[in-house]
Amino acid sequence: MSSPAVPDRPWLIRTYSGHSSAAASNTLYRSNLARGQTGLSVAFDLPTQTGYDSDHPLARGEVGKVGVPVCHIGDMDTLFDQIPLDRMNTSMTINATAAWLLALYVAAAQRQGAGTHELQGTTQNDIVKEYLSRGTYVFPPEASIRLTSDIVAYTVNEIPKWNPINICSYHLQEAGATPVQEIAFAMANAVTVLDTVQNRDDVSPDALPRVFGRISFFLNAGIRFVEETCKCRAMNQLWEEIGRDRYGITDAKMLRFRYGVQVNSLGLSEAQPENNIVRIALESLGVTLSKEARTRSLQLPAWNEALGLPRPWDQQLALRTQQILAFETDLLEYPDIFKGSHVIEGRTAELVEEAREELNKVLDMGGAVSAVENAYMKQALVESHTRRIRAIEDGGQTVVGVNRFEESVDSPLIEDSDKAILKVDDDAEREQVERLNAFRNQRNPKEVESALANLEDAVKNGQNILPPSIQAAGAGVTTGEWSDTLRQIFGEYRAPTGVGAAHTAPSSENIEGVRKRVDEVSLELGRRLKILVGKPGLDGHSNGAEQIAVKARDVGMEVVYDGIRLTPDEIIQSARDEGVHVIGLSILSGSHTVLVKEVLEGLQKQGLKDLPVIVGGIIPEDDAATLRQAGVKRIYTPKDFDLTQIMNELVDVVRAENT
Amino acid sequence: MKPDKPLDVAPLLERLLAGDRTAIAEALNLVDDQRSAQRESALELLDGLAIHKEAQRAHVVGFTGAPGAGKSSLLNALVETLREHSLRIGIIAVDPSSQRSGGALLGDRMRLSASAREAGIFLRSMAARDRLGGLADATRASTAVLSAGFDWVFIETVGIGQSECEVAQLVDTLVFVAQPGAGDTLQFMKAGILELPDIFVVNKSDTGAEAERTRSELGGALQLAEAQAAAGWTPPLLSASARDRVGIDEIQTQIEAHRQHSRESGEFARRREAGQLAFATESLSRRYGEWGLAQIGGAGTLSGRLEQAGERSAFGVVLDLGREIENALRGK
C-alpha cells in the first residue's frame, strides 16, 4: 500500500505544567507555546484541587508545589495573560473543584472578550478515579457525580466544543491496573456518568448523542507498547459497542472513541534516570502507531520526574520527543499499519472480551459509584499493584537498571544532583498569600456575600451549579469560599483504602525470614510490632502507602493505616492513641520538609520523641539530608523498590530505638 | 531491648486518674505487654485503678455484627451525636489477624470522621491475634483502662457466633447491627445466640423494602426467642441509616434506657461480676493452662476466691493467684 498524499494531522502536543504562581506559570506557558507546543495542560496545586485557599492550614507547604495556585479570578486572569482563550485549547486537570475552575476560566475568557461558545478544552472532572487512585476528592460520591453531570449538562449547550469530562484510566494504571481493569473500570465510570446525565430533566433525549460524543478519555501508555496498542483498539471497539447498544447512538462521528494520553510515570526509574528518555519514547509508540486508535493529544513526562520537579530544559526534551515522532518519522503518512494483523486483532479481541466481562460485573454491582463504596475496584487495584511489585522484587518483571543490569557508570546528567531538578521558590507560598489578602481587601463584600448566597440556593435546590459559580467568579469569590459552601451542604468523604481485604502474599524465603525477625522483636517488645502508615498533607497518591501497609501486614506487623489527607496533629494523635512502635510517612507532593518537621516537633511536644519516624517519597538528596538531620531514621525514594528489604530495616529501626 | 523490669505503677496511676491521654495510651501498651514483669505491673495498675469509683463510671457498649453491616459508620454517627452532649468517648476496635503471618491491618473499618478526630475521640485498635477464645481478657483490661478516662467506652468487633459470646461478657450493653438482605439474620438465629444482644439495629434503612423485610424477619425470630430473654427488658428492634443520619438518636435513647434498666434491675452488677470471673478464668488458663489452674484447686474454685477477695479486685486476685501458681511450680 502506498502512503496517502496528505499526511494525518498530528495530535495536540502538550506538556502538563504549572508551578509556584500564576505569573510564573504564565511565563512558562508562553515559552512552551513559542517552542511549538500546540495546547495547554494546566497543573493546579493541591490546595486548589481540594478546595482550599493558599492560606488555609491544610495548604501549608503545598502552595505552588505540584501545580499553580488559583484562588480567584485575579489568578486566572494572570495565568492566561496574553494567551487568547478563544483560540487556545486548554486541558485542566481538575476534579472535585472542576465546576469552580471552569467557572473561573469562563469568567476570565469573558473578561478577555471571548465568547463562551468559542472556548475549547477539557476539564478532567473524573471523580471516580480520585476515590480509586489520585485522592483529590472532597465530597461524597453521590454529590460528586451530581457536580460532574452539572458540568456535562451545562457545556453541551453553552460550550459545545468543550470536553466536560475526561475519564481517566491513566491513574488506574498508575495504581496498578492491568489492561483489562484499565479498560473495564474506565468504561464503567463513563456508563455511570452517562446514566446520570440521561436521567436529568434539563438534558433532552436528542442531546444524548452530543453528550456521548463529547465524553473523552485519558489513557496511560505503559512500556509493553504492543499490548498498549491493542488496549487502545479494544477501547475503541467497546466504546462504540456501548454507544450503540446501551444508548442507541447511530451517528458514527459521535460514536468515535476520543482520548488523550500521558505516558506512564509508574515505570520511570530513579536509578539510571536517563533510561527514562528511551522508555518515554517507546511508550509514545503504543498510543500513536495505530491510526485507527491514535491519541488526540499527548503529554510526555520528564525523564527526571522520579527525582523531583522537572526544569524547563527537561520539559523541552519531552516536547522534542513528540515533535520528532510527529514530524521527523514517517508515522503520520500511513493509514492504520495494523490492519489485517492477526496477532494485533487476536490480542485486541481477547482484551475486549475480558474487559466486557469485568465491566458487566461492575455494572451488576450497581455501577462505578457502588463499586467505589463497596471498595471492589480499589481492592482489585491494590492487589494488582501488589502482584506487580512482587514481580519486580523477585525478578519476574525486568526493569533495566533497577533489578537487572544495575551496574552503571556515573551519569553526567545528574552529577550535580541539586541542579538536576527545579526548586520551587520558598517564597512562593508567602507571596501567594500576600496577593490573596490584597485581593480579598479590594473586593466588594456585599457582592461576594450575595454571590455565595445564590450559590448555596442553587446547590440546595438542585439547580445547575455553573451559572451561579460563574457569577461568583466575577464577584471575587475565592476557591476556599466556593468549596466551603459546598462542604457545608454535601459534607466531606473518606474513601475506603482497599487495603483491609487485600489477599496475603504467598510465602517466599525472604518473607519468611522477615516474619521470623518480626516475631522475635515482638516477643522482645512484649507485644506485636505495630506501625502507623500515615499520609500527611493534601497529596492523595496513596499507592506507596498502601503497598507498605499490605507488606507490613504480610510480614506479621500490626498496621494502622487511616488513609489520605491527615494533618500532622491527627497523625501524632493516632500514633499515641494506637501505641505504635514506628511511624512511616509517605509524601509525594514535594511538601515533605514542612510536613515531616511538623510531625517530629509534635511528637517531641507529646513526649513521644523516641518514636522512630521513617519517610518515603520523591525526596531529593538535599532534602533527605535535612530530614535526617531533623531526626528521620530512614528515607526511601522510588529506587527502593524492594519492600521486603524495607521491612527488614524497619525491624532494625525499632530494635535500635528500644535498646 | 529494654529489660522486662517491674514498674512503679503509682505515677502512671496518678496520671491516669488525672485524665492524661498519653498516660491512657501508655497504660494500654502496658496491659497488652506479655512479658512476665510487665504483666504483673499491668495487673497491679488495674487493681489500683479498680479502687477508684470515679475510674469506673464509663458505660461499656459493644457493637457487633457481620462484616459490611455498617457498624463503623453507625458508631461514627452515634459518637458524633454523643459528642454534642460533650461526653468523652473511648473506642476499642478489634480486627482479625492474618492466620498465616500474624500481622493485621487495623483501623481500616473503624475510621473516624474528621470532626470525631478533632473532638478528641480516643481510638485504640487491637488485633484478635491467635488468642482463640482468649481475646476477651486483653480487651477487658483495655476497657478497664479506658473506663478511667471516658464516659462511654465502645467495643467494636466483627463476626457471628463465638465472638458475640465473648463480647457479651465484656460489655454492659450489647448492640447487634444487621444489614439488609445479607442473610446474616438467619445465620444469627442458627448460631443460637439471639438472646445475647440488648438492642437490635437494622442498618441501611435507606435501602427501603429490603431493610423492611430484614426487620420483619428479625422481629419474627425475636418473638420466638423472647421466652428465653432476660426478664424485664425486651430488646428493641430499631431501624437506622448511618448514611442519611436517620435513627441515630433512637439508638442513643435505647442505650440510655438499657443502661438505666440494667443498673436498677441489678443486671449491670450481675454482668460485671460474671465478667470478672470470665476474666480470671481466661487470663489464668491462657497463661498457665489447666495444669496451672489445678495447682490452686481448679477453675471451679475461682468464683469462691473472687468472693473472698473483699477490697481486692479481680485483677488483684489474678495477680495473687498467678504468683501462687508460679510458687507451686518452683516448689516442684
Side-chain angles (χ1 to χ4, degrees):
Chain A
M1 183 174 291
S2 64
S3 55
V6 185
D8 197 15
R9 272 201 325 178
W11 52 87
L12 271 173
I13 297 178
R14 289 178 164 136
T15 316
Y16 180 58
S17 53
H19 67 88
S20 302
S21 68
S25 302
N26 174 264
T27 308
L28 177 67
Y29 295 167
R30 285 193 286 136
S31 70
N32 283 350
L33 291 168
R35 286 196 183 108
Q37 185 173 303
T38 52
L40 289 177
S41 174
V42 182
F44 294 102
D45 73 356
L46 286 169
T48 306
Q49 292 187 50
T50 47
Y52 298 105
D53 283 335
S54 298
D55 60 350
H56 191 277
L58 270 171
R60 283 230 326 124
E62 307 272 15
V63 176
K65 280 278 163 43
V66 302
V68 55
V70 174
C71 294
H72 48 75
I73 185 74
D75 285 340
M76 203 58 137
D77 285 341
T78 307
L79 188 61
F80 295 107
D81 183 37
Q82 298 174 60
I83 300 174
L85 293 182
D86 53 349
R87 279 177 283 142
M88 187 41 57
N89 189 314
T90 308
S91 170
M92 296 195 278
T93 298
I94 196 72
N95 296 280
T97 52
W100 172 241
L101 272 300
L102 177 59
L104 285 172
Y105 188 80
V106 169
Q110 286 170 352
R111 282 151 67 117
Q112 281 191 4
T116 310
H117 262 258
E118 297 166 304
L119 300 180
Q120 286 190 63
T122 305
T123 31
Q124 193 162 78
N125 194 22
D126 168 10
I127 204 69
V128 168
K129 66 93 175 50
E130 295 296 331
Y131 297 125
L132 294 179
S133 158
R134 201 166 159 274
T136 69
Y137 56 82
V138 175
F139 313 113
E142 224 170 296
S144 296
I145 291 287
R146 178 218 156 158
L147 292 175
T148 299
S149 87
D150 271 3
I151 298 177
V152 178
Y154 180 82
T155 54
V156 73
N157 293 320
E158 302 299 325
I159 323 178
K161 282 186 273 185
W162 196 265
N163 300 312
I165 178 168
N166 208 8
I167 305 266
C168 292
S169 66
Y170 172 85
H171 306 87
L172 304 183
Q173 186 179 120
E174 293 292 308
T178 62
V180 168
Q181 287 170 335
E182 194 183 334
I183 303 169
F185 294 171
M187 295 291 162
N189 189 355
V191 165
T192 299
V193 171
L194 278 164
D195 285 358
T196 310
V197 174
Q198 195 178 17
N199 289 329
R200 287 177 71 108
D201 295 336
D202 57 350
V203 177
S204 63
D206 58 313
L208 192 66
R210 279 186 289 132
V211 168
F212 190 87
R214 292 271 22 130
I215 295 209
S216 61
F217 289 78
F218 189 64
L219 272 51
N220 202 324
I223 195 71
R224 292 168 55 83
F225 70 91
V226 178
E227 190 175 53
E228 293 293 65
T229 302
C230 300
K231 177 187 79 185
C232 298
R233 292 169 74 91
M235 290 183 90
N236 241 355
Q237 290 179 22
L238 204 54
W239 184 239
E240 187 178 328
E241 181 182 306
I242 290 168
R244 280 188 201 287
D245 299 353
R246 193 178 177 99
Y247 300 105
I249 314 252
T250 50
D251 183 343
K253 209 176 146 202
M254 295 300 152
L255 284 168
R256 218 173 280 157
F257 178 66
R258 296 156 57 250
Y259 74 99
V261 170
Q262 160 103 14
V263 310
N264 191 294
S265 286
L266 181 66
L268 300 187
S269 62
E270 184 186 356
Q272 302 178 23
E274 62 281 354
N275 297 348
N276 295 328
I277 298 171
V278 182
R279 288 193 183 102
I280 289 165
L282 291 173
E283 286 168 347
S284 306
L285 294 180
V287 291
T288 52
L289 281 181
S290 167
K291 186 183 176 187
E292 279 177 14
R294 182 170 294 150
T295 185
R296 301 285 178 119
S297 71
L298 186 58
Q299 303 175 174
L300 299 185
W303 66 281
N304 55 352
E305 222 187 56
L307 307 175
L309 279 181
R311 302 157 297 181
W313 179 81
D314 307 310
Q315 294 213 333
Q316 177 185 306
L317 180 60
L319 178 62
R320 295 293 181 249
T321 308
Q322 293 207 48
Q323 288 165 332
I324 291 169
L325 187 59
F327 304 120
E328 221 173 293
T329 76
D330 55 353
L331 178 68
L332 295 176
E333 294 169 19
Y334 292 92
D336 199 290
I337 59 174
F338 296 113
K339 209 156 206 156
S341 160
H342 299 304
V343 177
I344 294 287
E345 290 306 340
R347 182 68 189 126
T348 302
E350 277 172 16
L351 289 175
V352 168
E353 194 169 323
E354 287 171 40
R356 194 191 287 121
E357 200 175 303
E358 185 65 18
L359 166 64
N360 287 332
K361 197 169 167 187
V362 174
L363 293 181
D364 286 345
M365 279 174 201
V369 169
S370 307
V372 164
E373 286 173 334
N374 69 15
Y376 170 77
M377 292 196 287
K378 180 71 189 175
Q379 198 180 310
L381 294 176
V382 171
E383 283 178 19
S384 296
H385 199 40
T386 308
R387 271 196 298 277
R388 178 185 172 275
I389 289 189
R390 209 177 299 142
I392 296 176
E393 263 184 41
D394 65 23
Q397 183 174 337
T398 297
V399 184
V400 173
V402 171
N403 65 357
R404 222 176 146 189
F405 315 113
E406 299 101 309
E407 185 276 328
S408 173
V409 291
D410 291 339
S411 166
L413 282 180
I414 50 169
E415 251 168 22
D416 192 349
S417 65
D418 263 2
K419 292 196 180 127
I421 48 168
L422 180 81
K423 290 235 158 177
V424 172
D425 186 0
D426 283 340
D427 293 332
E429 182 165 325
R430 187 182 46 79
E431 287 168 9
Q432 171 68 10
V433 171
E434 281 168 14
R435 276 191 302 272
L436 173 62
N437 285 328
F439 179 87
R440 282 199 191 112
N441 289 335
Q442 54 82 42
R443 331 178 272 186
N444 178 341
K446 282 224 171 82
E447 255 181 70
V448 171
E449 206 175 296
S450 102
L452 286 172
N454 281 347
L455 176 70
E456 188 181 335
D457 282 350
V459 175
K460 283 186 176 156
N461 299 333
Q463 288 156 347
N464 197 309
I465 194 160
L466 257 301
S469 297
I470 295 169
Q471 188 215 346
V477 164
T478 67
T479 299
E481 289 163 348
W482 183 89
S483 309
D484 281 345
T485 305
L486 271 65
R487 278 192 186 95
Q488 291 295 326
I489 301 167
F490 293 140
E492 283 181 79
Y493 187 66
R494 283 174 72 75
T497 64
V499 296
H503 291 123
T504 304
S507 287
S508 71
E509 216 171 288
N510 281 347
I511 290 190
E512 287 301 336
V514 187
R515 267 184 205 164
K516 207 164 153 258
R517 294 193 68 216
V518 171
D519 286 348
E520 281 166 13
V521 82
S522 300
L523 272 179
E524 290 167 19
L525 291 167
R527 59 197 175 94
R528 193 155 277 280
L529 176 52
K530 197 171 181 182
I531 176 174
L532 173 79
V533 178
K535 271 201 74 62
L538 294 174
D539 166 41
H541 291 84
S542 54
N543 305 334
E546 286 151 8
Q547 292 305 319
I548 290 285
V550 171
K551 192 65 161 196
R553 179 204 58 184
D554 285 352
V555 298
M557 298 183 196
E558 291 181 356
V559 186
V560 179
Y561 173 54
D562 288 337
I564 59 166
R565 221 181 290 163
L566 299 177
T567 62
D569 279 349
E570 287 173 326
I571 287 173
I572 293 157
Q573 182 186 325
S574 184
R576 179 197 58 194
D577 292 1
E578 291 284 8
V580 300
H581 298 101
V582 57
I583 299 178
L585 300 175
S586 164
I587 309 164
L588 288 108
S589 65
S591 54
H592 40 260
T593 316
V594 175
L595 292 170
V596 171
K597 279 187 175 168
E598 267 183 50
V599 170
L600 291 171
E601 283 162 19
L603 287 173
Q604 182 111 35
K605 264 186 225 149
Q606 292 285 341
L608 297 168
K609 67 173 168 41
D610 292 337
L611 194 54
V613 173
I614 62 158
V615 177
I618 297 181
I619 298 169
E621 186 40 48
D622 246 23
D623 293 357
T626 311
L627 291 178
R628 278 191 207 102
Q629 188 90 44
V632 173
K633 297 295 170 200
R634 290 278 197 288
I635 289 167
Y636 298 101
T637 61
K639 72 173 184 305
D640 304 299
F641 63 93
D642 187 342
L643 296 186
T644 311
Q645 180 53 30
I646 294 178
M647 294 301 137
N648 243 323
E649 295 183 18
L650 267 176
V651 175
D652 296 338
V653 166
V654 170
R655 181 165 264 153
E657 284 311 308
N658 287 280
T659 305
Chain B
M1 285 294 139
K2 283 171 190 158
D4 177 29
K5 280 194 299 205
L7 294 179
D8 175 13
V9 296
L12 183 55
L13 184 59
E14 202 171 307
R15 283 164 62 214
L16 267 184
L17 291 170
D20 177 347
R21 285 175 74 100
T22 308
I24 295 171
E26 277 172 37
L28 288 174
N29 296 348
L30 180 64
V31 301
D32 202 18
D33 201 319
Q34 299 304 305
R35 293 174 295 175
S36 296
Q38 304 305 304
R39 186 172 168 278
E40 292 204 350
S41 301
L43 288 167
E44 251 178 67
L45 176 77
L46 292 167
D47 187 50
L49 211 48
I51 307 164
H52 296 269
K53 280 275 171 285
E54 73 273 18
Q56 288 160 68
R57 104 206 100 186
H59 192 71
V60 184
V61 183
F63 258 68
T64 189
K71 297 177 294 297
S72 309
S73 329
L74 212 51
L75 186 48
N76 243 318
L78 178 63
V79 157
E80 269 169 39
T81 310
L82 292 171
R83 281 300 309 177
E84 285 165 18
H85 304 280
S86 330
L87 291 164
R88 295 180 305 163
I89 295 157
I91 302 172
I92 297 171
V94 185
D95 290 77
S97 297
S98 154
Q99 293 294 327
R100 208 179 321 161
S101 73
L105 275 158
L106 305 169
D108 194 39
R109 294 174 301 107
M110 185 58 231
R111 311 177 70 222
L112 289 181
S113 63
S115 57
R117 281 175 188 282
E118 271 166 38
I121 308 287
F122 191 103
L123 169 65
R124 171 66 64 110
S125 40
M126 297 175 69
R129 303 189 188 153
D130 55 353
R131 307 179 264 221
L132 269 181
L135 168 66
D137 65 330
T139 318
R140 186 180 315 276
S142 305
T143 307
V145 171
L146 286 187
S147 295
F150 299 97
D151 304 312
W152 289 86
V153 174
F154 290 95
I155 303 173
E156 196 230 358
T157 58
V158 99
I160 292 284
Q162 178 66 26
S163 66
E164 267 74 19
C165 295
E166 280 183 9
V167 170
Q169 289 178 342
L170 269 175
V171 301
D172 304 322
T173 300
L174 182 62
V175 180
F176 176 77
V177 182
Q179 68 174 330
D184 48 343
T185 317
L186 198 67
Q187 279 193 37
F188 202 65
M189 287 187 288
K190 274 189 196 160
I193 42 177
L194 207 53
E195 64 273 20
L196 290 176
D198 304 299
I199 294 167
F200 290 85
V201 182
V202 177
N203 194 16
K204 306 186 185 179
S205 64
D206 46 273
T207 58
E210 211 174 346
E212 226 13 79
R213 192 162 55 245
T214 302
R215 195 188 136 94
S216 54
E217 274 170 23
L218 195 51
L222 280 177
Q223 268 177 353
L224 289 176
E226 205 168 356
Q228 305 154 22
W233 176 260
T234 308
L237 175 54
L238 312 176
S239 290
S241 163
R243 197 192 74 170
D244 298 345
R245 292 282 190 273
V246 169
I248 311 299
D249 288 347
E250 184 59 19
I251 298 174
Q252 187 198 341
T253 308
Q254 290 296 339
I255 292 175
E256 301 265 18
H258 182 258
R259 174 191 181 160
Q260 199 178 348
H261 167 85
S262 70
R263 285 187 194 229
E264 282 165 5
S265 65
E267 176 73 6
F268 176 83
R270 196 192 59 72
R271 276 196 204 180
R272 289 235 164 161
E273 211 168 286
Q276 284 173 353
L277 178 60
F279 170 79
T281 314
E282 280 156 17
S283 180
L284 289 169
S285 65
R286 197 160 59 81
R287 191 155 183 94
Y288 303 108
E290 239 174 84
W291 187 85
L293 275 175
Q295 306 308 307
I296 48 164
T301 61
L302 282 178
S303 68
R305 295 292 290 258
L306 285 171
E307 270 168 37
Q308 293 157 20
E311 279 291 285
R312 198 107 168 110
S313 72
F315 302 112
V317 171
V318 168
L319 182 60
D320 298 343
L321 292 175
R323 283 179 177 149
E324 268 180 50
I325 294 171
E326 284 178 21
N327 285 336
L329 286 168
R330 282 195 201 96
K332 296 259 151 145

